[in-house]
Amino acid sequence: MTAARPAVELLVGLRPVTAVEPVLRALSRFATLRARDPGLPPPDARIATSTDARGLREALHDDAVPVAVALHDGEEPPAEVAARAAAFLVARRPEAPGIPLLGAPVVAWPEPSIDAAAHPPLPPLVRRRWRRLLGLPDQFVVVLGFDPATPLGDRAVASALATCEAAAVRGRWTLVALALGTPLVTDASTARRLGLRDDCEVAVSAPASAAAAARALALDERRSARLGAAARHVVEQVHDVVPSARAVARRLGILAPERPGNVLHARLAELGTPEGAPAAMRAVAACEPFLSLASVADTTR
Amino acid sequence: MDVCVCGAQAPFVHGGAELHMDNLVRALRDAGHRAELVRLPTAWDKVRVFEAALAWRLVPIDADVVIATNFPSYFVRHPRKVVWLFHQHRIAYDAVDAPWSDFGLDDDSLEAQRLLTEWDTRALREAEALFTTSGVVADRLARFNGLDGEPLYHPPPLFESLHPGGTGDYVFCPTRLEGNKRPALLTEAMAYVHAPTRLVLAGRGTLENELRARIDALAVADRVQLAGFVTDERLVDLYAGALAVVYAPFDEDYGYVTLQAFRAGKPVITTHDAGGVLEWVEDGVTGFVTDPTPEGIGTAIERMAADPALASRMGEKARARVADLSWEPVVARLLGR
């Protein structure tokens, strides 16, 4: 069943790679990313993190290996790049005027974005039981980015957001909180920037009363559950970077072809099952002989 | 319209859920549709519940509409999926701390509980319409999954046959003799009843021997009758002749017993923690709602026995309360009409 992971070579220029980092991180689910190295066998695909990337020109003339090229801030690609790239990678920002029409397909990823599968949601009942297991107080509310903030080191933030009853968050942790299904209070500008509606996905509050609003939200079991589930849903629909990475992989021809046996994996994925979850492993183990047969049949056609 | 009703099968168990599914299929057919019941075996332990859910995910069903009912049948995939939720896997939710739950307070159990909630939320959200059998089930759905479900009430089995009768010398309780139905609580309540009133318990279950021993220990054998299995005809007669019905399950989803009692013109004595029963029984109007203690229930039985006229008046109000229940509007709502 296991096939060799495809290799994707990164071509880097002067522009910062950080702008492309979210989609590259997510792409590592499907392929091994590596630096340019003439000593290695040819890769299955290449990604140039900017139009000034070293080696891009010769890569575009290597017809055996497709190249995707990242564009920055409404940049128009040079004619040669426009003519020969297999795909363009563009960040989709809410304030951006739109994505330019180009010769090659454009794969956009949301900005800001998050790997939703890497931040599984925790519903209120499970949060409550984790608090009990960890000996945390049941009335546990996290405040980040508002005054007074909960004193937390970076490494503790995700755990705190995953176990708290509700949180008031603005700033860089907001998307993590939403992905974790945290019943969330935020300010109006954060809500607007992330496309969140008051009392639909979050509770919007003035900064001065955000902590109090989070404490009130924690006491409302039904509203907490509704907002947490809706927050997670909007992250998957709008801010998840993995579908974009999958689209990049598909454009570059490195995504494993659909096989009959893959339906099991697809059904597990659509239910939000983490890779390696015991439920997934047992299901795959039960079907493995048949999945292998399907795989063999597919390769011998 | 071709409609497949989907439901879980717990082999060798035939209770309220099975009757509900059968009656839904019958009501759909009566409304002129082709209807079939599709059932898959399930398991209740925390490992195999996922496999049971996934099995539904992989079953192809060709029908115009599917109506999924209980866990895990709502994992069925269909472009027109309607869910009429009887219940979820309760030992992962409201009953997680119950002695019979295998979801402990450890890493693996918490992840299994998290994943099951996530699966449930996704599968239920797929439905083009989400109904529940009662407000209690809708409330659980809101608190645990953040989803809105519309309660859709339906008539219980034997609805057309049940009728009022006299006010006899017994209180009646048809129920499975299982822990969540708390038959022992009713038996113990009889120790607090001094009026010449009997308790008739109809039904079978795993607690039967334990219950007989308890009856002997309490020395109430002359006033507690275990009637065992009774036919539908006998059931109708027992309802009709009772002074009142006493029914005190723990957090019931819906509770046919209440509706059948009301249809038979009988008030219901129940407890504050009986769940769906409380959507129907109004304390002092259509019955009594007491503490879930033998003394509380016993005192309520005493009050009924002391004033049969009160029991009759409550019974009339109870019968009026369920007079409008019918399958026709249920079928219309489920099919979006």
Side-chain angles (χ1 to χ4, degrees):
Chain A
M1 270 297 282
T2 52
R5 270 170 72 81
V8 174
E9 186 177 83
L10 297 181
L11 308 175
V12 181
L14 295 175
R15 287 175 181 271
V17 177
T18 50
V20 197
E21 194 177 315
V23 77
L24 294 181
R25 277 185 184 278
L27 189 65
S28 66
R29 285 175 173 273
F30 309 105
T32 300
L33 307 188
R34 71 184 203 205
R36 191 170 174 230
D37 184 346
L40 291 172
D44 297 288
R46 294 188 175 95
I47 291 178
T49 60
S50 63
T51 51
D52 65 354
R54 288 182 64 187
L56 175 57
R57 175 176 290 253
E58 58 186 287
L60 288 169
H61 286 86
D62 180 354
D63 291 335
V65 181
V67 186
V69 181
L71 302 177
H72 295 250
D73 300 325
E75 175 189 15
E76 293 283 347
E80 184 183 22
V81 177
R84 303 191 68 89
F88 292 105
L89 313 183
V90 178
R92 186 177 60 233
R93 294 189 177 84
E95 70 276 15
I99 294 168
L101 287 173
L102 299 161
V106 171
V107 177
W109 73 91
E111 183 62 45
S113 63
I114 192 167
D115 183 336
H119 299 83
L122 286 97
L125 177 62
V126 178
R127 288 167 176 266
R128 195 176 311 139
R129 286 169 59 74
W130 268 114
R131 289 197 295 275
R132 207 198 303 172
L133 179 65
L134 297 172
L136 295 168
D138 205 39
Q139 300 293 313
F140 176 33
V141 170
V142 170
V143 181
L144 295 170
F146 293 101
D147 187 32
T150 309
L152 285 169
D154 272 9
R155 291 178 64 181
V157 170
S159 297
L161 290 173
T163 51
C164 67
E165 215 166 1
V169 182
R170 63 178 172 180
R172 66 190 173 109
W173 291 104
T174 310
L175 214 47
V176 173
L178 292 165
L180 293 169
T182 311
L184 195 65
V185 174
T186 194
D187 63 6
S189 70
T190 302
R192 196 165 44 249
R193 187 169 59 85
L194 295 175
L196 307 168
R197 299 162 298 170
D198 184 26
D199 206 37
C200 291
E201 294 88 15
V202 291
V204 174
S205 169
S209 51
R215 283 193 292 273
L217 179 57
L219 297 174
D220 189 337
E221 199 176 8
R222 293 174 67 122
R223 188 171 180 234
S224 290
R226 177 169 56 81
L227 294 186
R232 171 67 190 189
H233 191 58
V234 83
V235 164
E236 290 180 5
Q237 297 297 309
V238 179
H239 297 288
D240 189 6
V241 72
V242 174
S244 303
R246 186 177 292 110
V248 172
R250 192 174 293 119
R251 288 305 315 168
L252 292 174
I254 57 172
L255 204 61
E258 286 292 323
R259 292 195 173 100
N262 284 359
V263 71
L264 177 63
H265 297 283
R267 297 295 170 262
L268 288 164
E270 71 190 5
L271 291 169
T273 317
E275 287 173 27
M281 302 295 279
R282 282 177 60 87
V284 171
C287 301
E288 185 63 36
F290 309 102
L291 299 183
S292 299
L293 284 175
S295 172
V296 169
D298 193 59
T299 53
T300 52
R301 264 202 292 274
Chain B
M1 193 178 277
D2 288 354
V3 185
C4 279
V5 174
C6 302
Q9 181 188 32
F12 316 112
V13 173
H14 199 84
E18 288 72 22
L19 288 169
H20 191 162
M21 292 171 206
D22 290 340
N23 288 338
L24 172 57
V25 169
R26 190 173 303 125
L28 287 161
R29 289 174 181 163
D30 288 347
H33 303 288
R34 290 205 307 174
E36 291 282 358
L37 180 58
V38 180
R39 298 177 71 193
L40 290 181
T42 192
W44 303 116
D45 59 271
K46 73 170 183 253
V47 173
R48 292 184 302 156
V49 288
F50 290 97
E51 293 162 17
L54 198 57
W56 276 105
R57 211 67 194 154
L58 297 166
V59 168
I61 294 189
D62 292 326
D64 298 319
V65 181
V66 297
I67 300 175
T69 57
N70 54 356
F71 175 86
S73 69
Y74 48 76
F75 282 86
V76 66
R77 286 176 102 246
H78 194 277
R80 282 203 65 195
K81 175 165 81 173
V82 174
V83 175
W84 189 14
L85 186 63
F86 297 1
H87 60 77
Q88 296 170 261
H89 188 47
R90 290 185 58 189
I91 59 171
Y93 289 99
D94 57 297
V96 70
D97 291 324
W100 52 87
S101 172
D102 62 348
F103 286 83
L105 203 58
D106 55 79
D107 291 15
D108 289 346
S109 289
L110 287 172
E111 174 54 16
Q113 193 184 12
R114 186 202 71 75
L115 187 60
L116 189 62
T117 310
E118 173 69 3
W119 278 29
D120 269 358
T121 304
R122 287 170 183 261
L124 292 166
R125 191 188 271 137
E126 289 173 345
E128 68 171 30
L130 181 50
F131 301 98
T132 61
T133 51
S134 67
V136 166
V137 177
D139 180 62
R140 290 186 203 134
L141 196 56
R143 286 189 293 123
F144 299 132
N145 302 87
L147 299 175
D148 288 329
E150 176 189 330
L152 192 56
Y153 299 100
H154 67 286
L158 302 175
F159 193 68
E160 299 306 324
S161 307
L162 290 158
H163 57 81
T167 49
D169 66 345
Y170 64 92
V171 289
F172 180 48
C173 180
T175 188
R176 284 185 291 115
L177 305 180
E178 303 294 346
N180 60 326
K181 305 295 183 183
R182 299 194 293 202
L185 182 60
L186 308 186
T187 302
E188 288 163 10
M190 291 309 289
Y192 292 88
V193 177
H194 306 294
T197 303
R198 293 178 296 127
L199 167 66
V200 179
L201 273 169
R204 291 185 295 207
T206 57
L207 296 179
E208 187 167 338
N209 290 338
E210 195 176 307
L211 210 54
R212 287 192 190 283
R214 190 72 186 131
I215 289 167
D216 289 341
L218 290 167
V220 291
D222 57 332
R223 288 189 295 129
V224 178
Q225 178 189 348
L226 296 185
F229 170 80
V230 295
T231 63
D232 285 352
E233 293 75 16
R234 178 83 180 119
L235 188 64
V236 168
D237 289 345
L238 283 167
Y239 270 120
L243 169 70
V245 165
V246 57
Y247 187 50
F250 176 71
D251 203 15
E252 183 69 89
D253 299 325
Y254 189 43
Y256 281 152
V257 172
T258 315
L259 302 174
Q260 289 180 325
F262 278 21
R263 183 64 173 171
K266 302 300 167 187
V268 171
I269 296 167
T270 190
T271 55
H272 294 299
D273 58 356
V277 178
L278 302 172
E279 292 180 56
W280 299 94
V281 181
E282 190 178 349
D283 188 33
V285 179
T286 52
F288 290 129
V289 181
T290 81
D291 294 330
T293 60
E295 187 174 6
I297 295 169
T299 303
I301 294 172
E302 279 275 302
R303 287 180 67 187
M304 286 288 183
D307 192 351
L310 174 66
S312 288
R313 286 197 302 277
M314 284 183 168
E316 285 169 18
K317 287 176 183 161
R319 185 166 162 84
R321 176 83 172 76
V322 297
D324 292 336
L325 285 178
S326 162
W327 275 104
E328 286 172 20
V330 171
V331 168
R333 284 296 287 142
L334 288 172
L335 298 181
R337 294 177 177 180

